[in-house]
Amino acid sequence: MLIPHDTRIALDTVVDLVNTAPESEPPPDDPADGPVDGLADVAALYAFAERHHISGVGTLGEKDLATVRDVRARFAEVFAAPDPRTAADLVNRLVAAAGTTPQLTDHDGYDWHVHYFAPDASIADHLAADCGMALAFIIVAGEQERLRRCEAPDCGHAFVDLSRNRSRRYCSSRTCGNRLHVAAYRARRKEAAG
């Protein structure tokens, strides 16, 4: 599946955004700690914007934090959508609410690509438009089933399965996948020894 660089960047951004939600976090070592929100405050939102090179952010406040959290929740619904029609409806509502204004741009050393957000859009509208259109690209390609949640019982992170045969089951084969394979191996050895 050939994905343009701007779409890939937006997919990485939406996955990271969804995974900042407390319900996406693995359970803490101490249950009293509870899940942690990756967008706990405005400083975390600034850090997120910087990490993903979101341009034109300007001054952010509590209202921006609340609207980005709302967008995050709606993107999580897209990852949980049972079928492409439901996912498309969710994406359509997100993109329409953002007031998209597609325009070609070639900034920061990237070749020509499309920004879907209006100039001076809020960070929530920026995310809803660009990330929503990236998810639309996946749905239009007939690949909605690539929008997944990690199958590790203690994880639940969102990811986009870009493997050739759509067989990826874990957000990270190095952490979640390897941990479960080692646990299964140890269980088989224990059963064989017992």
Side-chain angles (χ1 to χ4, degrees):
M1 175 176 209
L2 182 63
I3 300 175
H5 83 277
D6 55 321
T7 302
R8 180 56 195 250
I9 289 169
L11 288 172
D12 291 344
T13 301
V14 72
V15 164
D16 191 30
L17 179 63
V18 170
N19 289 337
T20 64
E23 58 273 8
S24 293
E25 290 298 310
D29 293 333
D30 181 359
D33 290 341
V36 176
D37 189 333
L39 293 177
D41 53 29
V42 174
L45 182 57
Y46 273 115
F48 179 88
E50 184 176 321
R51 187 168 60 250
H52 290 284
H53 309 287
I54 299 173
S55 57
V57 169
T59 303
L60 299 175
E62 291 296 327
K63 180 180 177 187
D64 296 297
L65 181 61
T67 55
V68 168
R69 285 177 177 165
D70 180 57
V71 166
R72 173 181 71 183
R74 291 189 282 151
F75 278 135
E77 292 175 16
V78 175
F79 276 83
D83 55 68
R85 183 166 305 283
T86 303
D89 182 52
L90 292 164
V91 169
N92 283 340
R93 284 189 271 148
L94 266 164
V95 171
T100 59
T101 306
Q103 53 186 315
L104 289 168
T105 184
D106 67 338
H107 61 89
D108 299 328
Y110 292 113
D111 288 333
W112 289 103
H113 60 282
V114 179
H115 280 185
Y116 295 96
F117 55 92
D120 301 321
S122 70
I123 187 170
D125 285 346
H126 180 133
L127 291 167
D130 264 7
C131 295
M133 290 306 297
L135 293 175
F137 175 84
I138 297 293
I139 295 165
V140 166
E143 303 287 353
Q144 185 254 338
E145 71 275 1
R146 290 183 183 270
L147 305 177
R148 299 199 173 152
R149 290 289 188 159
C150 184
E151 291 181 21
D154 60 345
C155 184
H157 274 150
F159 67 94
V160 179
D161 178 5
L162 296 177
S163 66
R164 284 185 181 205
N165 61 359
R166 300 177 194 98
S167 62
R168 190 169 152 201
R169 297 173 51 210
Y170 308 109
C171 63
S172 169
S173 59
R174 290 185 180 170
T175 54
C176 291
N178 192 39
R179 187 178 68 248
L180 289 175
H181 288 114
V182 168
Y185 171 77
R186 287 181 180 158
R188 285 191 306 270
R189 287 199 56 187
K190 184 178 179 179
E191 185 177 304

